[in-house]
Amino acid sequence: MSDLLQLRDVSLSFKGVKAVNALSFSVATGEICALIGPNGAGKSSLLNVINGVYRADTGDIVFNGARFGAIHPQKAALLGIGRTFQHNALFHRLTVRENVLAGLSRRGTATFLENIFRFGRDGAERRRFIDRADEIIAFLHLDRHAETVVSKLSYGMQKRVDLARALAAAPKLLLLDEPMAGMNQEEKQEMSRVIAEVNRSFGTTIVLIEHDVGIVLNLASHVVVLDYGRKVADGTPDEVRNNPDVIAAYLGTVH
Amino acid sequence: MSFFLETLITGLFAGLMYALVAIGFVLIYKASGVFNFAQGAMVFLAALAFVTLVEHGFPFWIAFLATAALMVVVAILVEALVLRPLRNRDSLTLFMATLGLSFVIDGTAQFFLGTDVHMLDLGIDDIAEDYAGILISHFDIVASLIVVTLVAVLAIVFSKTRMGVSLRAVADDTLAAQSIGIRLPVIWRIVWSVAGLVALVAGLLWGARQGVQFSLSLITLKALPVLIIGGFSSIPGAIAGGLIVGASEALADIYLGPLVNGSVSTWFAYILAVAFLLIRPAGLFGDRDIERV
Amino acid sequence: MPSGLLSRLDAPLLPIVAGLLVTFAVIPAMADDYWLSSIIIPTLVMGLAGIGLNLLQGYAGLVSLGSAAFMLIGAFSAYNLILRVPGLPLPLVLLISGLIAAAAGVVFGLPSLRIRGFYLGASTLGAQFFFEWLFSNFTWFSNDSQSLTISAPRLEILGYSLQSPLGRYFLAASVTVLLIGLAFLIVRSRLGREWMAIRDMETAASVLGIRVARRKLQAYAISSFFLGVTGVLWAFAYLGTSDAHTFNLDKSFQVLFIVLIGGVATIFGNFLGAAFIVLTPILLDRVVLAADLSFLGDQGALTNLQRIIFGAIIILLLIKEPDGLSALLRRARQAVRNRYAG
């Protein structure tokens, strides 16, 4: 299996504090890779480096054969990197459907004049967008809420809309930043099923951050453990489960 | 060369006055996150109230204290009638409210105190004297000493007193400050009062220079570029910004003005401020906001 | 076929026909010259200005404190186009003036690519002061007239004179109807949706691949286009004679008030806001006359009394009606509907 994403010696610091320290790992095409580690381990920062929200101080990222040190978030999206957010980053005054449609933006081909005056490529684009949005909305069982303004939805539903929005443009790589944060066990199981289903149905490679180790070890096929910006372990769930360093640094402590 | 220096120095003095108005903004912005457009109206109200009292025969200190008391009353009213009901609203709404407030304040001032232009004599001569071949007005020197003293007093108050510490706590983290028992309405009232007193001093100095009239309230518009250059939340920034704006505006008017057919002072500061924004978005001393995701 | 076109634009046919009837038949038949010249025309034109700013601020989330500068550019462009390009038909004059304002809007919108939020106000305030200075300092723009004023040319379309109040109303109303239609097309397009996405969460929009920089500049261009056309109407269809200071900071703030009072991210709300701005001074005048408050003093005192009341109403509206007058109207409509439904 080839690697879709490689990180090579990536470092990132804020005001002198290292958030990510000379980190290297690879994500194989089609796998679900989980990043785990205590708070402040640099997991979110790492996702932000991968899709260009932050700029790495040193190191390279290779995605789908393209190599870059820093990338603009829009460019990352165009290459096929999708992303959900830890804290609510939905377009809160738009409906569920509008959020998903906005997620399709990078698939747009019409100019703004075509879009406004509804000529040329606009008609086909409009139909394509609506069909795709409805497909994703149905896939994530959001049909009932399609016309609801997202700020009126429950927290769990909003997380699902965030996923739908990221999935809309059919990314090759999907970065999920704590998709199950703040959910109860039942909701977590449900979200976990949805993520596995996305991976299976669309063949999307997924990198996710999650604190609930039990869920992660069942869902992921590959686990990377971080602590203070460094890699502690990297392997299959079983390997990680039995790694003494991990047990000492992370799994042994109660969260 | 001496003409250049004179222009520069005159500009720096004017800049110190801009800074004085800008400091009023910074105080309020730090404590309540409000960009207070009514600061200029407060300057005008203070100057008009003071000059009216003096013209009715009250001695300087009585008039000064009475006007100071008036500014405190204004602060209490603003907190109760505008800030409290608009708590937790976005900054644009708050800005618009202070625009409405500026109408109310300068309308009230002129409704009760009239629309005439008043001369204000603080007993300081506005005569240029020769200092090492450079002509500098006596008034400018006294005025800048007053500004420096005021800033020093403010700095001491805000770094040494309990109230100052509370204010900084509110500016740093409003929620945390509230959780340790700091009462926001009290802080707001105090800060708006202090801003009112700063407005009073600014009103007297500006009023003595150009007469007490409605146009005083427009110095708000000079304070905005000052704040952008210095940063909205920094008093040293406001001073540095004021000096930069004052000096460059004076020089531009003399050296650039003739080339483009007249005074450029209405807009030069803004173009300068935008240039600053593009190079240093947070201003000289401000902090940069990073959007967390 | 028009109805086919409308359904393709997902526009409700009945309200549109009713609206057009009122605009082009009922109002012209009922309103006298005073109502047309002093109330209806300025309300329409300022409402359009509100739409211009609302597209930028309400939909794209970008701040502008200098709307009047772009109205000013439109007005002076139109004056010079008519003066220097003989025979240019009025619709083209309006279009080109709008495009010139749009170009200026793009230039003053450039800082929005680096800075956010309130700081943007500085750039647009810079535009306000710069253009007011430019058009009053270089007399070429006002054809070297002593008073620096520009006067409306003979307004005509296809040989029909539009000089009477009714003619000027038809001009303002036609442009208003067209631009309202355009505004709806914009906010219901991908462009409008991406503006709102940027407004709600810029980082997320960027991560999703929305071309944020391009969309922001398009917002400034389109907003300034609307304001430019509005400026032409204000100068020619409403005032007749104007100068650079007609479009001063007060006018910019009025446009801002219209947006906030009418309702952020609405189209028709702007006309409610505009009606408020136009009618309040007139009503206050009437009240002062009727209550015989002249004992209060001279005209200056009355002007200040109006200023106080106007300021107080604005604060009150901001406190009591966060979503603007259009929300009030929506609730009223809902209440009526519930009553008849129940």
Side-chain angles (χ1 to χ4, degrees), chain A residues 129-141:
Chain A
F129 273 28
I130 299 239
D131 289 348
R132 173 69 182 166
D134 286 343
E135 184 187 335
I136 292 295
I137 287 170
F139 179 80
L140 289 175
H141 306 296

Side-chain angles (χ1 to χ4, degrees), chain B residues 89 106 228 261 263 278 291, chain C residues 114 116 122 133 203 307 318:
Chain B
R89 298 282 292 279
D106 62 39
I228 286 165
N261 219 2
S263 170
L278 294 179
E291 195 177 354
Chain C
R114 290 279 322 255
R116 290 184 191 176
W133 170 84
T203 305
R307 210 173 154 79
L318 291 173

Side-chain angles (χ1 to χ4, degrees), chain B residues 12-282:
Chain B
L12 287 174
F13 282 125
L16 217 47
M17 302 296 223
Y18 294 159
L20 192 53
V21 181
I23 287 169
F25 276 95
V26 170
L27 289 173
I28 288 176
Y29 186 80
K30 272 175 92 109
S32 51
V34 179
F35 184 87
N36 177 27
F37 192 83
Q39 185 71 18
M42 283 160 63
V43 169
F44 173 55
L45 169 68
L48 189 58
F50 177 86
V51 80
T52 307
L53 287 172
V54 169
E55 281 172 4
H56 281 76
F58 288 93
F60 180 93
W61 284 110
I62 302 285
F64 188 86
L65 290 176
T67 312
L70 172 70
M71 299 318 287
V72 173
V73 172
V74 169
I76 291 169
L77 289 176
V78 167
E79 191 277 321
L81 300 178
V82 183
L83 296 182
R84 207 178 312 163
L86 285 173
R87 233 172 155 145
N88 303 326
R89 298 282 292 279
D90 64 294
S91 55
L92 193 67
T93 302
L94 286 163
F95 167 73
M96 298 296 294
T98 63
L99 247 174
L101 183 63
S102 74
F103 286 9
V104 174
I105 291 177
D106 62 39
T108 310
Q110 296 197 86
F111 182 74
F112 287 109
L113 305 173
T115 50
D116 300 335
V117 178
H118 300 258
M119 288 304 128
L120 174 59
D121 184 5
L122 297 177
I124 312 165
D125 294 332
D126 198 356
I127 300 168
E129 287 178 46
D130 194 317
Y131 293 88
I134 298 166
L135 289 173
I136 300 174
S137 163
H138 189 58
F139 183 89
D140 280 335
I141 293 175
V142 176
S144 47
L145 285 177
I146 292 172
V147 173
V148 170
T149 313
L150 183 74
V151 171
V153 169
L154 283 176
I156 291 167
V157 168
F158 283 118
S159 61
K160 301 283 184 233
T161 64
R162 227 179 100 81
M163 195 272 285
V165 174
S166 306
L167 170 69
R168 275 185 295 147
V170 170
D172 279 351
D173 187 340
T174 311
L175 284 178
Q178 280 176 290
S179 70
I180 57 167
I182 294 172
R183 291 179 52 212
L184 273 188
V186 178
I187 292 287
W188 285 346
R189 267 177 240 145
I190 292 171
V191 167
W192 278 72
S193 300
V194 175
L197 299 183
V198 174
L200 170 57
V201 175
L204 296 190
L205 295 176
W206 277 96
R209 232 316 135 64
Q210 49 172 255
V212 176
Q213 53 186 318
F214 178 72
S215 66
L216 274 186
S217 63
L218 299 179
I219 51 178
T220 305
L221 298 171
K222 289 289 183 202
L224 184 63
V226 169
L227 291 166
I228 286 165
I229 290 172
F232 277 62
S233 53
S234 157
I235 288 183
I239 295 167
L243 294 176
I244 291 171
V245 167
S248 55
E249 192 176 85
L251 292 174
D253 230 11
I254 298 293
Y255 293 101
L256 181 66
L259 304 178
V260 292
N261 219 2
S263 170
V264 297
S265 64
T266 53
W267 54 268
F268 184 79
Y270 282 92
I271 304 300
L272 187 72
V274 171
F276 256 85
L277 273 177
L278 294 179
I279 299 162
R280 244 197 96 75

Side-chain angles (χ1 to χ4, degrees), chain C residues 113-226:
Chain C
L113 308 187
R114 290 279 322 255
I115 52 185
R116 290 184 191 176
F118 210 80
Y119 285 82
L120 264 181
S123 166
T124 45
L125 263 184
Q128 174 69 54
F129 295 122
F130 177 74
F131 286 108
E132 225 179 300
W133 170 84
L134 183 74
F135 289 116
S136 52
N137 238 314
F138 292 89
T139 53
W140 181 84
F141 291 112
S142 44
N143 200 23
D144 296 313
S145 86
Q146 281 297 314
S147 54
L148 298 171
T149 54
I150 55 171
S151 298
R154 246 184 68 77
L155 299 173
E156 56 176 40
I157 286 182
L158 301 172
Y160 289 102
S161 169
L162 303 172
Q163 293 294 99
S164 67
L166 197 61
R168 288 182 287 114
Y169 167 75
F170 274 118
L171 173 64
S174 312
V175 175
T176 303
V177 165
L178 285 175
L179 288 188
I180 288 176
L182 178 59
F184 272 110
L185 283 177
I186 291 168
V187 301
R188 291 182 181 175
S189 70
R190 176 156 76 95
L191 177 66
R193 185 168 61 235
E194 293 186 13
W195 279 350
M196 292 187 271
I198 294 168
R199 172 197 70 192
D200 283 356
M201 196 63 184
E202 186 173 330
T203 305
S206 178
V207 165
L208 290 170
I210 291 176
R211 294 171 195 280
V212 174
R214 184 183 297 184
R215 291 302 186 220
K216 282 183 175 178
L217 292 184
Q218 284 166 349
Y220 274 99
I222 290 171
S223 162
S224 304
F225 175 85
F226 273 74

Side-chain angles (χ1 to χ4, degrees), chain A residues 24-42:
Chain A
S24 304
F25 69 90
S26 301
V27 178
T29 306
E31 75 174 1
I32 298 182
C33 171
L35 299 177
I36 62 174
N39 276 327

